[in-house]
Amino acid sequence: METDRSGETAINIIPGTKANGTGKAPVVVSSTKAVEQPKRGVKKGIAICDFLLRLCAIGAAIGATATMGTTDETLPFFTQFLQFQAQYNDIPAFEFFVIANAIVAGYLLLSLPFSIICIIRPYATAPRLLLLIFDTVMTGLTIASASASASIVYLAHYGNPNTNWLAICQQFGDFCRSVSGAVVGSFIAGAILMFIIVLSAFALKRS
Amino acid sequence: METDRSGETAINIIPGTKANGTGKAPVVVSSTKAVEQPKRGVKKGIAICDFLLRLCAIGAAIGATATMGTTDETLPFFTQFLQFQAQYNDIPAFEFFVIANAIVAGYLLLSLPFSIICIIRPYATAPRLLLLIFDTVMTGLTIASASASASIVYLAHYGNPNTNWLAICQQFGDFCRSVSGAVVGSFIAGAILMFIIVLSAFALKRS
């Protein structure tokens, strides 16, 4: 309809002065640009936000991985054959946690160049879609690892009398604290990734 | 640029015949429509896919909730004071599972009208964005509940000698089987939701 109307306006003007009619075209173009300029700014702002959030998520994921991976507590007492030691690889869920968070941190690092491309070219949809698809998968991975570990941490803290699983945090207090911190870090990374997905959707949306 | 060019074409024609100039406008509009028609079809197809996937996800979520909620195994032997019984509410992670999956199923049911709006109006961005935001949150909830329960199910199957948590599936075999099925159902719902997010992004994308 816009095209139709501008065509009509041009027709009304030309009978009076023909020079004015040809002079009209640049005015129309510049007004279209003026409308697109703030939109471009918004898209660019979203892309910059996306980049900064990615940096935060990298921090959270690397922090969670490092905390979980380096946690190691040896109790001060030991018998002749046994030394009581707790490490992340005693529990499969924590191993999965370390692997998953390392993958997510690696992916986020690799995604930074694509995020920069989105800042430079705010209207490019291909890199943004690619990022969104992988972000969705990585969000799933992060949340899965965090909550799998969270349920084990809960068990370590409180135990479960119905199944005779006893709490181990009375003995391994420091271990439990570090592990809980790592789980929180991973949940933060997951939440940031979810926010990044929503931001990407806003950036993709037709205005 | 399209507006600019059509304006110029109109100007070139008018000096010859003024009636032809006004007749030109509908031709331009109809050609624009012809380009938009297949795109509209694609968007409509995506919206219909979205609706069908939502139905599948509802099935998976309700199935998971019902399976977990109704699982109940009583062992055939009992002592004078104790009867050995396993139910989902013996383990906090399974309670969370039932609540989370019920919420997700409820949300998916409520989202169906919005999905239908997206089928009727394929170019509407507001309902689609709203759906995408809530879908992202619900995906997180589904995957969190599924993997929290999965780590407990793993523990119930294999136990953990390092922490002295013994496997309970030797005794409660049927309980473990039902619970594993429910977890798988919930993961399927989560995967479908992730696919719905990616589809929504494609529907939102500027063409």
Side-chain angles (χ1 to χ4, degrees):
Chain A
M1 287 300 271
E2 200 64 38
T3 321
D4 188 5
R5 205 180 291 162
S6 78
E8 265 183 54
T9 325
I11 291 157
N12 289 338
I13 289 162
I14 299 144
T17 50
K18 203 171 179 180
N20 198 18
T22 46
K24 178 101 183 156
V27 179
V28 173
V29 171
S30 72
S31 79
T32 320
K33 262 191 189 167
V35 174
E36 263 177 29
Q37 207 58 50
K39 270 186 221 157
R40 193 184 164 86
V42 169
K43 299 248 181 236
K44 204 155 201 154
I46 291 176
I48 291 168
C49 255
D50 175 287
F51 183 77
L52 295 177
L53 282 173
R54 259 168 225 283
L55 290 180
C56 296
I58 288 172
I62 289 180
T65 314
T67 311
M68 182 66 93
T70 57
T71 301
D72 182 5
E73 190 179 4
T74 309
L75 293 192
F77 53 87
F78 49 90
T79 65
Q80 201 174 355
F81 304 106
L82 271 175
Q83 195 182 12
F84 298 97
Q85 198 186 19
Q87 260 187 326
Y88 79 91
N89 53 11
D90 289 337
I91 296 171
F94 292 170
E95 280 187 78
F96 170 54
F97 181 93
V98 171
I99 295 166
N101 277 277
I103 291 172
V104 170
Y107 158 74
L108 283 170
L109 275 172
L110 289 175
S111 76
L112 286 181
F114 291 90
S115 183
I116 292 169
I117 291 174
C118 289
I119 295 176
I120 299 168
R121 300 183 55 198
Y123 283 99
T125 55
R128 184 142 307 283
L129 264 179
L130 196 77
L131 280 178
L132 190 134
I133 292 169
F134 282 101
D135 282 347
T136 309
V137 175
M138 290 297 153
T139 307
L141 189 61
T142 315
I143 292 177
S145 75
S147 59
S149 297
S151 74
I152 298 291
V153 168
Y154 182 87
L155 205 61
H157 271 285
Y158 299 103
N160 190 332
N162 299 304
T163 51
N164 259 329
W165 294 334
L166 299 176
I168 58 161
C169 282
Q170 279 94 2
Q171 291 94 54
F172 295 101
D174 284 345
F175 177 72
C176 277
R177 265 187 291 278
S178 306
V179 164
S180 307
V183 168
V184 171
S186 186
F187 270 121
I188 290 173
I192 294 174
L193 274 169
M194 278 164 74
F195 196 68
I196 288 176
I197 291 175
V198 173
L199 268 189
S200 290
F202 271 94
L204 274 173
K205 137 173 158 342
R206 297 175 300 279
S207 35
Chain B
M1 287 299 269
E2 200 63 40
T3 321
D4 185 6
R5 204 179 293 164
S6 78
E8 265 183 54
T9 324
I11 292 157
N12 289 337
I13 289 161
I14 300 144
T17 50
K18 204 171 178 180
N20 197 17
T22 46
K24 178 95 183 160
V27 178
V28 173
V29 171
S30 72
S31 78
T32 321
K33 262 191 189 167
V35 175
E36 265 176 27
Q37 208 57 51
K39 270 186 221 157
R40 192 183 165 87
V42 169
K43 299 249 180 234
K44 202 156 202 153
I46 291 176
I48 291 168
C49 256
D50 175 287
F51 183 78
L52 295 177
L53 282 173
R54 260 169 224 284
L55 290 180
C56 295
I58 289 173
I62 289 180
T65 314
T67 310
M68 183 66 94
T70 56
T71 301
D72 182 6
E73 190 179 2
T74 310
L75 292 192
F77 53 87
F78 49 90
T79 64
Q80 201 174 357
F81 304 106
L82 272 175
Q83 195 183 10
F84 298 96
Q85 198 185 18
Q87 260 188 325
Y88 80 92
N89 53 11
D90 289 336
I91 296 171
F94 292 171
E95 279 187 79
F96 170 54
F97 181 94
V98 171
I99 295 166
N101 277 278
I103 290 173
V104 170
Y107 158 74
L108 283 170
L109 274 172
L110 289 175
S111 76
L112 286 180
F114 291 90
S115 184
I116 292 169
I117 290 174
C118 289
I119 295 176
I120 300 167
R121 300 183 55 199
Y123 283 98
T125 55
R128 179 133 325 271
L129 264 179
L130 196 77
L131 280 179
L132 190 135
I133 293 169
F134 282 100
D135 282 347
T136 309
V137 174
M138 289 298 154
T139 307
L141 189 61
T142 316
I143 292 176
S145 74
S147 59
S149 296
S151 74
I152 298 290
V153 167
Y154 182 87
L155 205 61
H157 271 285
Y158 300 103
N160 190 331
N162 300 304
T163 51
N164 259 329
W165 294 333
L166 299 176
I168 58 162
C169 283
Q170 278 94 2
Q171 292 95 54
F172 296 102
D174 284 344
F175 176 71
C176 278
R177 265 187 290 278
S178 306
V179 164
S180 308
V183 168
V184 171
S186 187
F187 270 122
I188 290 172
I192 293 175
L193 274 168
M194 279 164 73
F195 196 68
I196 288 176
I197 291 176
V198 174
L199 268 189
S200 289
F202 272 94
L204 274 173
K205 136 172 157 343
R206 295 177 301 278
S207 35

